[in-house]
Amino acid sequence: MTASEMISFARGAPSLDIIDVDGLKAAADAALTTDPGGALGYGTAVGYVPFRKYLADLHGVPVEQVLVTNGSMQADAFLFDELARPGQPVIVERPTYDRTLLGLRGRDADVRPVSLDVDGIDTDELAALLEGGLRPTFAHIIPNFQNPAGYTLSLAKRKRLLELAEQYDFTIFEDDPYRLIRFAGEALPSMLELDEGRGRVVFASSFSKTVAPGTRVGYLVGSAELIDKIRVRATNTYISPNMLAQAIVHQFCVSGGIERSIATVNAALAERVQVLCAALEKHMPEAKFTAPEGGYFMWVELPDGVDVAKLLPAAEERGVTFVKGTDFLIEGGQSTLRMAYSGVRADQIEDGITRLADALKSLQVAAG
């Protein structure tokens, strides 16, 4: 099986057919025509100035509260460098994004996972930990279509988290790159909005999921004091981020390209989720999952006793791949996996699930 024939449910990236290549070509031309100096110069550590203003207006905050970065992982890294301290506790969801775990553990933070339900982090479990004396510096929350689970934090839990953050004096890091990728259900206010300027929330997002990952454009919204500290880190790291990419994304946004792109992505992913769920029900009825209302990912639980560490190589031998659930957990999850449907065309999905089902059957036969 060659790499070109591999059906990959592993990577959270849009397939090329749903990226607005022509729109980005036009945006690049507009950026270089209207502001070649700004697009091609070093610029500032806080990002391309017109785009920073666009994002500030989008979130209803002063520009001093916004910093534009090379992708949201760079934003995460700057924030972790500022807030995470060796030995100090940090709350994460269980499961959570694998790069979050790597980033926090690499900074020797005391990572404290809290159970994730279909409606988001278990706020009762978190409250009990806080009542028991836990004092985290911050809680990392992916509120919409969580990576890896695909679950969305309910409005009631968003409000409860803010109450707990106020009561126990910790920051909520609202990591929200998927918010606009909603194709079912009702949109919910961000915790940044619900916080109403009290300064409890630092918000991060990205244009990797709505425009294209190759642009590497993300951003942070936080207090002016925090953003200024991170500006110093950014200056010392790279002088300035990629001005050309930010200028292109800015033109793409102000031209209306972003709305068209989101509509295209959402329509495609809605179909892919429907096909994926139907294929799992048909070929792997033993699998448990909750269909997401948006985003790129779905969490799948297989029967106890299935070892995804063995399933993965068996699947790859058959030309299909995924990410093991254990990658997103400090412990446990041996029978879970994350399926990214964003990069798989609808006409490939059933074939991929058929191959995965065959791999699962081969393990069951081998086990007797």
Side-chain angles (χ1 to χ4, degrees):
M1 183 66 62
T2 65
S4 62
E5 296 172 304
M6 181 72 74
I7 296 174
S8 176
F9 293 101
R11 195 147 199 206
S15 53
L16 186 59
D17 60 305
I18 59 175
I19 293 175
D20 184 4
V21 177
D22 289 338
L24 286 167
K25 285 180 182 177
D29 184 65
L32 291 170
T33 300
T34 60
D35 187 19
L40 298 174
Y42 273 118
T44 70
V46 293
Y48 182 61
V49 171
F51 191 45
R52 188 191 191 202
K53 176 68 164 57
Y54 168 87
L55 293 169
D57 292 345
L58 186 69
H59 289 283
V61 299
V63 291
E64 292 79 16
Q65 290 185 233
V66 178
L67 181 134
V68 196
T69 59
N70 294 324
S72 63
M73 280 194 63
Q74 182 84 69
D76 292 4
F78 284 150
L79 188 67
F80 291 169
D81 284 342
E82 192 62 43
L83 297 184
R85 295 287 179 270
Q88 291 189 356
V90 173
I91 298 295
V92 300
E93 297 157 319
R94 184 175 65 234
T96 191
Y97 182 40
D98 53 349
R99 300 290 174 178
T100 296
L101 290 177
L102 286 169
L104 292 173
R105 296 174 90 178
R107 291 164 177 81
D108 295 322
D110 178 11
V111 180
R112 299 294 188 95
V114 175
S115 300
L116 186 70
D117 301 322
V118 175
D119 64 345
I121 192 169
D122 187 334
T123 48
D124 289 338
E125 181 181 324
L126 175 57
L129 290 170
L130 295 168
E131 288 165 10
L134 184 68
R135 293 294 178 266
T137 50
F138 65 93
H140 176 268
I141 306 292
I142 308 172
N144 294 300
F145 324 121
Q146 198 254 14
N147 181 6
Y151 303 156
T152 294
L153 185 67
S154 68
L155 180 59
K157 285 189 171 181
R158 291 171 195 234
K159 292 177 178 177
R160 179 64 173 141
L161 270 174
L162 286 166
E163 290 171 359
L164 291 171
E166 186 69 27
Q167 183 178 353
Y168 292 100
D169 191 25
F170 63 88
T171 297
I172 296 171
F173 176 27
E174 186 172 18
D175 194 355
D176 199 13
Y178 309 103
R179 183 183 184 194
L180 298 175
I181 309 300
R182 175 179 282 280
F183 40 77
E186 297 281 326
L188 297 172
S190 67
M191 286 180 283
L192 180 69
E193 292 166 351
L194 294 170
D195 190 45
E196 297 179 336
R198 285 186 288 267
R200 283 289 162 202
V201 178
V202 182
F203 180 94
S205 194
S206 166
F207 289 86
S208 294
K209 314 303 181 184
T210 51
V211 178
T215 60
R216 308 313 301 135
V217 175
Y219 65 97
L220 275 174
V221 181
S223 69
E225 180 185 10
L226 175 66
I227 293 300
D228 192 56
K229 289 178 180 177
I230 293 175
R231 176 192 59 78
V232 175
R233 290 186 183 277
T235 303
N236 293 337
T237 301
Y238 48 39
I239 300 177
S240 66
N242 187 330
M243 292 292 115
L244 178 58
Q246 291 182 19
I248 292 170
V249 173
H250 177 244
Q251 287 294 336
F252 190 76
C253 290
V254 299
S255 71
I258 186 72
E259 287 83 8
R260 294 191 300 274
S261 180
I262 289 167
T264 298
V265 171
N266 287 357
L269 298 192
E271 180 189 12
R272 292 174 191 188
V273 164
Q274 187 176 25
V275 174
L276 176 59
C277 292
L280 284 168
E281 288 168 358
K282 178 180 178 182
H283 299 289
M284 298 177 64
E286 64 272 60
K288 295 179 181 178
F289 57 88
T290 298
E293 294 184 333
Y296 277 44
F297 308 106
M298 189 167 76
W299 190 249
V300 177
E301 297 180 5
L302 298 175
D304 290 344
V306 174
D307 185 352
V308 289
K310 294 179 180 177
L311 178 62
L312 181 58
E316 290 182 341
E317 286 174 8
R318 290 160 175 81
V320 63
T321 191
F322 57 86
V323 182
K324 306 187 304 297
T326 49
D327 288 3
F328 306 99
L329 295 152
I330 292 176
E331 58 183 9
Q334 281 78 10
S335 60
T336 62
L337 55 105
R338 186 193 76 175
M339 305 210 76
Y341 45 80
S342 54
V344 189
R345 297 191 318 271
D347 62 355
Q348 299 175 303
I349 289 173
E350 185 164 12
D351 185 16
I353 297 303
T354 302
R355 298 180 192 189
L356 183 60
D358 185 60
L360 179 60
K361 193 177 299 181
S362 74
L363 295 189
Q364 292 167 337
V365 168

